[in-house]
Amino acid sequence: QVQLAESGGDSVQTGGSLRLSCVASGYISRWRCVAWFRQVPGKEGEGVGVIVTEGGTTFYVDDVKGRFTISKDNAKNTVYLQMDSLKPEDEAMYYCAQRHCFGLVRNLNEGEYNYWGQGTQVTVSS
C-alpha cells in the first residue's frame, strides 16, 4: 500500500513559478511512474506529465512542455513538479498519482494509475 501527499500549491501571479512536491510513503516500488494531473471544477482532469522513477525518463503534454519540469529524489521518495511561466489556464487542483511501470512512457491515462494524493490547489491571477 502506498500513500501520496502533495504540497506546494499557492496563489501566484501570471508569469510566476511554483514547485509542487509529491511524497510517497508505505511500500514504494523501485519501478514506478509518478504522474501529475490537474482538474478544474466542471471539467475532466487532464494529464500534465510523468516521470519514471527508475531512470528518470519524462513525458509532458504539449500544453506545459517547456514550462513545467518533473524531477525526482528517490532517496526522499519525492517527485517534484516545477512550474514556470504560469498562466491563468494553469489554475487547477493538481494531483500526483502512481502506477507500476518500466522504462519509457509516452502517454498519460488516469485509469492506469492506482494511487492518488489528495491534491494541492494552484491559483494564478493576473
Side-chain angles (χ1 to χ4, degrees):
Q1 188 68 34
V2 176
Q3 296 83 44
L4 304 177
E6 306 96 334
S7 63
D10 206 347
S11 297
V12 299
Q13 294 182 335
T14 298
S17 297
L18 283 174
R19 189 180 74 163
L20 308 183
S21 299
C22 176
V23 180
S25 60
Y27 180 79
I28 304 170
S29 174
R30 181 180 180 89
W31 306 97
R32 63 193 184 111
C33 288
V34 179
W36 290 93
F37 296 86
R38 62 187 182 185
Q39 186 172 23
V40 176
K43 295 185 177 182
E44 294 186 352
E46 64 175 345
V48 175
V50 59
I51 188 166
V52 182
T53 58
E54 184 62 30
T57 301
T58 56
F59 169 78
Y60 305 93
V61 299
D62 290 342
D63 288 348
V64 307
K65 198 173 299 181
R67 299 188 298 119
F68 291 9
T69 304
I70 301 175
S71 61
K72 63 184 178 68
D73 186 337
N74 288 350
K76 297 180 178 180
N77 296 320
T78 301
V79 171
Y80 304 97
L81 177 63
Q82 177 68 44
M83 303 184 292
D84 298 318
S85 301
L86 282 162
K87 304 175 181 179
E89 53 262 43
D90 295 319
E91 181 170 311
M93 184 74 74
Y94 282 73
Y95 299 88
C96 65
Q98 177 182 303
R99 68 176 178 92
H100 189 261
C101 73
F102 298 103
L104 180 67
V105 291
R106 299 298 296 175
N107 66 293
L108 286 163
N109 183 355
E110 291 185 12
E112 295 178 349
Y113 286 82
N114 309 107
Y115 304 99
W116 292 77
Q118 295 299 307
T120 185
Q121 178 67 42
V122 173
T123 301
V124 184
S125 63
S126 59

